[in-house]
Amino acid sequence: MFNDAAIAARAMQSEAGLARVAIIDCDVHQGNGTASIFSGDASVFTFSIHGAKNFPFEKATSDLDIELPDGTGDDEYLRQLERGLAETLRRSRPQLAIYLAGADPHEGDRLGRLKLTSDGLARRDRRVLEALRSGNIPVAIAMAGGYGRDIVDTVRIHAATLLIAHELWHHSIP
């Protein structure tokens, strides 16, 4: 119905003349809509790291998909993320990244099925954002899914994402 990452990518391509955008989707659900919208379009690279057995049950094909088994925790998730992030940046050479920072891989999420801790999610955010900053790649961040048993956990995870982004970019703003 409405895909904010796709609209943002197209708007930036049109308004800022960008030739290459990467969408880094770390929501626990596969970015099937984004993958479908940009299928066959080399100007937008779609990377989704998600639960293999989670919704949607019929997956679309992203430029890069990493499917994780139920119960995946911090260490394995971060290993897979590192691999996927490096491949995404190498293959896409983006002028802009759109980062979908899902809270739903959290161990306390009702729908997530993965087992990342709050610390693991903060490390995920830091790795993604440091890689983009070191590559001098502008980033737009969208808060993605979060269905915590305790809403406070979801809010804290999203707030931590923004605090990490502020910390990393605050000193580089003239």
Side-chain angles (χ1 to χ4, degrees):
M1 291 185 353
F2 182 81
N3 186 305
D4 53 353
I7 291 169
R10 285 293 190 235
M12 292 308 296
Q13 287 178 319
S14 174
E15 294 172 20
L18 300 182
R20 297 176 316 278
V21 176
I23 297 176
I24 300 167
D25 189 339
C26 292
D27 187 274
V28 79
H29 303 99
Q30 195 234 9
N32 63 318
T34 307
S36 295
I37 290 167
F38 295 116
S39 177
D41 181 345
S43 73
V44 178
F45 188 94
T46 56
F47 165 45
S48 178
I49 182 169
H50 54 269
K53 294 183 180 177
N54 213 318
F55 182 86
F57 302 110
E58 291 186 33
K59 310 285 194 261
T61 302
S62 305
D63 292 301
L64 178 59
D65 284 299
I66 296 178
E67 295 188 328
L68 302 170
D70 287 358
T72 297
D74 294 347
D75 292 340
E76 181 59 20
Y77 183 98
L78 293 170
R79 264 192 299 280
Q80 294 297 327
L81 174 67
E82 287 281 343
R83 178 179 67 83
L85 190 56
E87 183 175 341
T88 295
L89 297 179
R90 179 183 53 78
R91 288 176 55 194
S92 67
R93 298 178 339 275
Q95 296 166 295
L96 170 71
I98 298 172
Y99 174 40
L100 305 177
D104 46 8
H106 187 255
E107 62 191 350
D109 195 272
R110 293 178 287 121
L111 304 178
R113 301 171 72 156
L114 298 183
K115 299 294 179 199
L116 275 73
T117 63
S118 295
D119 179 64
L121 288 168
R123 290 174 20 212
R124 173 204 68 183
D125 293 338
R126 185 170 295 284
R127 287 184 184 182
V128 169
L129 296 170
E130 283 178 343
L132 296 171
R133 185 169 185 263
S134 70
N136 203 28
I137 302 165
V139 61
I141 302 170
M143 302 297 102
Y147 315 94
R149 288 182 190 90
D150 184 349
I151 190 67
V152 171
D153 289 337
T154 302
V155 171
R156 284 186 181 137
I157 291 164
H158 286 315
T161 301
L162 297 175
L163 289 170
I164 291 166
H166 178 266
E167 172 193 329
L168 291 173
W169 266 277
H170 180 261
H171 299 294
S172 65
I173 298 171

